[in-house]
Amino acid sequence: MSKVDSCLKDLERYEDLKNEIKESRDELREGQKEILNAVRDKTTEKASSSLPSTTMPACPKIFGRNEYIAMAVSIIMSNTSVRLAILGPGGMGKTSAALCIVHDAQIVSRFDKNIIWVPCEQATSVNLLIELLGKSIIPASSSSSDRLGEIIAKLKASKELYMLLLDNFETPWDIPGQQSEVGDILALLASIPTVSFIITMRAGQPPASGTVEWTNPKLPPLPPLEMKPANEAFLRIAPDAAGDSKLDTLLKELDCVPLAVTLMARLAEAGEQPSELLTQWRSERTKLLDQPDGDRRNSIEVSIKLSLESRLVKSNPDAINLLGAIAVLPAGAALSRIAEICPSIPKWKAALRILRNTALLYDSADQTFVQLLSPIRSYILLHHQLQPALLSDLRKAYFQLANKGWCDPGQAGFIENSKELDAEKVNLETILLQSLTTASASDDGNSQIIQAARDYTWYLNWSLPQTIILEEAITLARASRSDLLPRCLKTLGMMLYKQGMIESSFGSFTEARSEFLLARNNLQAHKCGYWIGECLRRMNRLDEAYSLLKEEREELLQLGDSITANECSSSLGAIFMDQGKYEEAETLLEEARAEFIREKHDQNAYECLRFLADVYINNKQYDKAQSALEEVKERQLRVGDPIGALYCRATLGEVLCEQGSYKEAWSVLEEARIELEKRGLRNQGYFTDSLTWGGRAARMLGKYEEAISRLEEAKALYSASGNIAWVNWCSRELDMVRKAQESMERTA
């Protein structure tokens, strides 16, 4: 045999061997397929045998959902068939609302025995979803190889109306790689004219919107409860909690989420009072509402965890990071600011879509913020703390926003900046306080935190003066020996002065001046000297004030600060007024005002005009005083200084009293009193003025009880400040009120 023949023989044997291997491989594949089918059939058979009961649950007792249920019933009764989705985060009571809808008498009358419960929580595959539908719709066993076809055929053949309630539909919808098949099943059901269905789902949008035409109007996502029904739901479980003053606060901190309310009520039922539970909630958060059985219906943590472990959330790591950033902000994140606060999440819009679709957050009523419900926020803060780098970015963005607070009414950008700061007030205060209280003395970024705290506090000076954040900044500035300490002390003095806390203000300015002198900053030290003089004036130490202000005016002029020097002149004019030297006061105040106008310092110029109004009042030039006060008030409102406008209203009330317009005076003074108290300005002299002249107006109008109330309160405030002259004035007014009361009683 030649070599060629031998090679041909080998080639033939190789081809035969290759064919044998192919046949064996095909046989092996067939065998594997049979085994897999057998396993799948066995698994499905086993899963089918353990599928949940499809017996319709009873109608639950729920609170605060009457309007929602009525809306759904109305939609159903107005259409031949409907496709409705009840959406929202876990624990919102979607299943309970759906059950109430299908148990409604009108729905029962329409669909009779064909209201079918399909609990989808265990439908972890398309086959299991089909088996659940089959168990619900065709209870009898069937050997059909096309179970879905059999279900659809039965529904199409029936002339009766069907209502399917597909509960917890997020489970099948979240099956990896099978979303289109699940959507096709919904589309098949939707194509049958006699079939209606309602799904409940942890989501922000209905599923399969491309293949299923959802009925309009769509049901809105299920919201939290209002306070009254949340209270009723709690007390139904724990009636002994009625009357506890902290119950409403507890419910508010739970955002009235039904599951959280129910679980908290069960703890109260066991004997704990809402006031105790509130303390525990603030400490333990969602751990307090966690139950060991792992059932989402008994654990707020399990309920939230299910949403966080959904396929959508897991598919995008940015989703958890964005959720963590938003959780840090108690008021939620402004949509316009997310790119700024999360610069390391460039694709934040995709992450936001996922969080909306899984109902882990919601949009504010005005669509400008995205927010988290309290239980979800608490869970995220507890279990998914924001990475340090992301937290640093977020804080930096809010520090830059806080810096916009260092601006005065009338200056460029003040009103726009104030609107920005107003919208972020809760977030800013949270970030600033957390940053200040967690910083250590050696941290590099302390100056940035302290500056932001000072600037933000100054913004509060014009709307709702409060110094908590600035005081924390001063504590950190002392500990870190920051060169910002004297500036913070000076700002604190100005804030305390605005609140009428003159002695505390005096102390802050005195310390600030000492610190500036140590730093060899003579100009700022003399600026503090002006404020010390002004405090001495308000403390009625007029001679000391006069001497210091004259001295500081000269020093400031030599240092080239004509504005603060002119402020000294304005205060000297006020001293003349306090001394009853009205002609000298008017001359000096007019000169100071003219200088401020020349320097284009409108705020100071109008402050002088307000002082001049007091001079006009003392000279009984009431029309002139009223005109000046109206001018100042309108300007302060226009430039964004509502407190300055309130001061004018309080003084206008006095003018109206002096003019005999008591009805108008009472209205003006009451408005000023209420608003000043709301803004924490009870220590301000203008608040006491509103009480004093309000008492006079009330007496003249025959409102004797109101008159006594206002005058007694004013008298106590004057007494506390040592102003004996006005204590005596109030006493005389009170005597006249009581005599008028006695006279009226005798006449009656």
Side-chain angles (χ1 to χ4, degrees):
M1 180 182 294
S2 67
K3 285 185 178 181
V4 174
D5 292 335
S6 176
C7 287
L8 288 171
K9 280 284 186 184
D10 289 342
L11 189 59
E12 287 175 5
R13 281 197 299 273
Y14 171 75
E15 288 295 330
D16 291 341
L17 183 61
K18 190 167 74 170
N19 290 332
E20 288 175 15
I21 291 171
K22 184 176 181 301
E23 289 173 6
S24 298
R25 188 171 60 198
D26 291 343
E27 288 174 6
L28 181 62
R29 282 177 175 167
E30 285 299 319
Q32 286 176 329
K33 192 179 291 184
E34 288 177 12
I35 292 169
L36 285 171
N37 286 335
V39 169
R40 187 181 291 114
D41 291 343
K42 201 71 179 174
T43 302
T44 301
E45 181 183 339
K46 183 178 179 181
S48 299
S49 65
S50 62
L51 287 174
S53 168
T54 55
T55 302
M56 177 69 69
C59 184
K61 174 68 175 175
I62 64 173
F63 298 86
R65 301 301 194 201
N66 291 346
E67 288 185 12
Y68 194 93
I69 291 164
M71 182 196 312
V73 170
S74 174
I75 293 170
I76 294 167
M77 298 304 292
S78 302
N79 291 273
T80 305
S81 62
V82 297
R83 281 77 56 196
L84 296 177
I86 300 177
L87 308 172
M92 202 57 73
K94 299 182 291 295
T95 299
S96 295
L99 287 169
C100 288
I101 292 166
V102 298
H103 277 288
D104 182 88
Q106 295 180 73
I107 304 302
V108 172
S109 174
R110 182 172 186 177
F111 294 96
D112 197 19
K113 64 182 183 297
N114 294 330
I115 301 174
I116 295 171
W117 165 256
V118 187
C120 299
E121 192 171 4
Q122 293 184 27
T124 54
S125 71
V126 173
N127 283 342
L128 285 175
L129 175 61
I130 293 169
E131 285 302 318
L132 265 171
L133 285 167
K135 184 176 180 181
S136 304
I137 296 167
I138 312 175
S141 60
S142 170
S143 58
S144 171
S145 60
D146 184 7
R147 187 74 161 139
L148 179 60
E150 185 182 19
I151 294 164
I152 299 301
K154 177 179 178 180
L155 292 172
K156 281 184 174 180
S158 175
K159 294 182 180 179
E160 297 178 343
L161 297 176
Y162 278 82
M163 168 62 79
L164 311 181
L165 176 46
L166 304 164
D167 190 41
N168 291 114
F169 197 75
E170 69 274 356
T171 300
W173 185 248
D174 208 34
I175 300 167
Q178 298 189 41
Q179 203 171 81
S180 61
E181 293 179 61
V182 174
D184 289 343
I185 293 172
L186 272 185
L188 282 170
L189 293 172
S191 69
I192 305 170
T194 55
V195 173
S196 294
F197 60 77
I198 300 171
I199 70 161
T200 70
M201 186 173 175
R202 295 163 181 258
Q205 296 292 332
S209 294
T211 54
V212 175
E213 187 177 342
W214 296 92
T215 302
N216 283 315
K218 295 181 176 69
L219 291 174
L222 204 59
L225 297 173
E226 298 289 338
M227 182 58 72
K228 184 180 177 183
N231 201 295
E232 291 170 347
F234 191 100
L235 294 177
R236 181 172 179 263
I237 297 170
D240 290 345
D244 191 296
S245 61
K246 296 295 183 182
L247 177 55
D248 282 0
T249 304
L250 176 62
L251 297 174
K252 186 176 180 181
E253 292 208 11
L254 296 173
D255 268 345
C256 295
V257 172
L259 177 58
V261 171
T262 298
L263 295 176
M264 195 68 82
R266 288 177 188 166
L267 294 176
E269 185 184 25
E272 297 193 67
Q273 291 301 309
S275 51
E276 299 167 335
L277 291 170
L278 178 61
T279 301
Q280 292 179 54
W281 167 255
R282 287 173 175 172
S283 172
E284 300 176 45
R285 295 297 177 181
T286 51
K287 283 185 178 179
L288 180 63
L289 304 181
D290 192 25
Q291 300 295 322
D293 61 6
D295 188 334
R296 63 175 177 80
R297 294 166 295 184
N298 296 319
S299 170
I300 200 76
E301 289 217 337
V302 171
S303 180
I304 295 166
K305 190 177 179 184
L306 283 171
S307 295
L308 292 173
E309 291 181 347
S310 68
R311 175 187 55 80
L312 268 176
V313 174
K314 283 185 171 181
S315 71
N316 189 334
D318 284 344
I320 288 291
N321 288 332
L322 181 59
L323 198 63
I326 297 171
V328 171
L329 306 170
L335 289 167
S336 61
R337 208 176 294 282
I338 292 179
E340 183 183 347
I341 65 177
C342 298
S344 58
I345 308 178
K347 296 183 179 179
W348 62 268
K349 289 184 179 179
L352 186 64
R353 279 195 297 272
I354 287 171
L355 296 174
R356 278 178 170 144
N357 287 341
T358 50
L360 283 164
L361 51 72
Y362 64 97
D363 289 274
S364 62
D366 61 4
Q367 305 288 303
T368 59
F369 277 70
V370 283
Q371 300 169 312
L372 276 65
L373 291 168
S374 173
I376 297 175
R377 178 172 180 258
S378 297
Y379 182 89
I380 297 298
L381 290 174
L382 198 62
H383 297 288
H384 295 276
Q385 290 187 354
L386 193 61
Q387 297 169 19
L390 294 174
L391 180 59
S392 177
D393 287 341
L394 182 144
R395 284 180 171 177
K396 191 181 297 181
Y398 275 94
F399 294 161
Q400 290 171 355
L401 176 60
N403 293 144
K404 293 184 177 183
W406 194 256
C407 192
D408 290 349
Q411 290 183 346
F414 176 80
I415 291 176
E416 292 75 12
N417 290 350
S418 295
K419 286 178 181 177
E420 271 194 85
L421 293 164
D422 280 343
E424 292 277 11
K425 191 171 185 291
V426 174
N427 289 337
L428 276 163
E429 292 181 6
T430 300
I431 294 298
L432 288 170
L433 281 172
Q434 285 178 350
S435 301
L436 288 164
T437 54
T438 57
S440 65
S442 58
D443 287 350
D444 292 336
N446 284 345
S447 292
Q448 189 180 20
I449 302 172
I450 294 166
Q451 184 71 54
R454 174 190 175 234
D455 293 350
Y456 175 74
T457 302
W458 187 245
Y459 141 76
L460 295 176
N461 188 50
W462 308 108
S463 56
L464 192 67
Q466 49 186 284
T467 59
I468 296 170
I469 292 171
L470 184 57
E471 286 167 9
E472 289 289 348
I474 289 170
T475 299
L476 181 58
R478 291 189 201 281
S480 58
R481 305 183 68 82
S482 170
D483 58 5
L484 289 171
L485 176 60
R487 294 183 182 276
C488 288
L489 287 167
K490 181 186 172 190
T491 304
L492 178 62
M494 295 165 80
M495 297 288 291
L496 293 169
Y497 180 91
K498 184 82 172 258
Q499 295 176 67
M501 300 170 71
I502 306 303
E503 289 189 9
S504 297
S505 174
F506 179 83
S508 290
F509 284 126
T510 302
E511 185 182 357
R513 181 170 65 173
S514 297
E515 290 289 338
F516 279 126
L517 288 172
L518 282 173
R520 298 182 179 180
N521 190 333
N522 290 334
L523 176 60
Q524 286 296 332
H526 286 295
K527 282 176 177 284
C528 288
Y530 152 69
W531 279 105
I532 292 169
E534 179 62 14
C535 287
L536 288 168
R537 180 185 74 81
R538 289 288 301 278
M539 293 159 69
N540 210 33
R541 292 160 62 176
L542 300 182
D543 290 341
E544 292 174 75
Y546 184 82
S547 176
L548 179 60
L549 287 165
K550 281 193 72 175
E551 181 183 328
E552 293 296 350
R553 182 173 64 178
E554 295 307 314
E555 292 289 346
L556 287 160
L557 285 171
Q558 287 182 25
L559 290 168
D561 184 357
S562 60
I563 297 301
T564 312
N566 203 39
E567 287 181 306
C568 291
S569 296
S570 177
S571 291
L572 287 166
I575 289 173
F576 284 140
M577 182 175 61
D578 293 338
Q579 293 173 330
K581 300 174 181 178
Y582 302 124
E583 187 176 340
E584 293 94 325
E586 185 172 356
T587 300
L588 200 49
L589 287 167
E590 286 285 10
E591 288 174 358
R593 182 167 181 253
E595 183 63 22
F596 283 131
I597 291 171
R598 190 181 69 78
E599 294 279 358
K600 297 183 179 178
H601 271 256
D602 287 352
Q603 185 75 4
N604 299 92
Y606 279 99
E607 190 70 16
C608 284
L609 185 56
R610 188 155 59 83
F611 277 139
L612 281 165
D614 288 332
V615 174
Y616 301 149
I617 291 169
N618 283 288
N619 286 332
K620 303 188 184 306
Q621 296 173 295
Y622 299 124
D623 290 343
K624 199 172 181 181
Q626 185 173 3
S627 175
L629 289 166
E630 289 287 0
E631 183 181 345
V632 177
K633 184 192 74 172
E634 292 305 317
R635 187 267 175 183
Q636 301 303 72
L637 288 173
R638 188 171 64 252
V639 300
D641 181 11
I643 292 177
L646 279 174
Y647 293 167
C648 292
R649 289 191 71 78
T651 311
L652 273 167
E654 178 186 351
V655 172
L656 291 166
C657 276
E658 295 287 16
Q659 291 175 318
S661 302
Y662 297 113
K663 187 174 182 181
E664 188 180 352
W666 170 254
S667 175
V668 167
L669 288 162
E670 276 295 281
E671 181 185 329
R673 178 187 67 82
I674 292 167
E675 196 60 31
L676 286 165
E677 187 162 24
K678 189 188 298 182
R679 293 175 185 271
L681 296 170
R682 283 183 55 84
N683 291 314
Q684 248 297 348
Y686 292 100
F687 177 76
T688 315
D689 288 347
S690 71
L691 292 169
T692 305
W693 294 100
R696 161 72 66 84
R699 176 174 72 82
M700 299 304 293
L701 292 169
K703 300 175 180 284
Y704 299 129
E705 293 301 325
E706 291 94 330
I708 290 171
S709 173
R710 304 295 181 273
L711 291 166
E712 288 284 12
E713 189 175 354
K715 183 179 176 181
L717 289 170
Y718 285 130
S719 179
S721 65
N723 195 329
I724 303 304
W726 280 98
V727 169
N728 294 335
W729 191 95
C730 290
S731 294
R732 289 194 298 272
E733 282 288 319
L734 283 164
D735 286 343
M736 285 188 277
V737 173
R738 291 185 177 112
K739 285 177 182 176
Q741 278 184 311
E742 290 170 6
S743 175
M744 187 174 66
E745 288 169 4
R746 283 196 302 270
T747 304

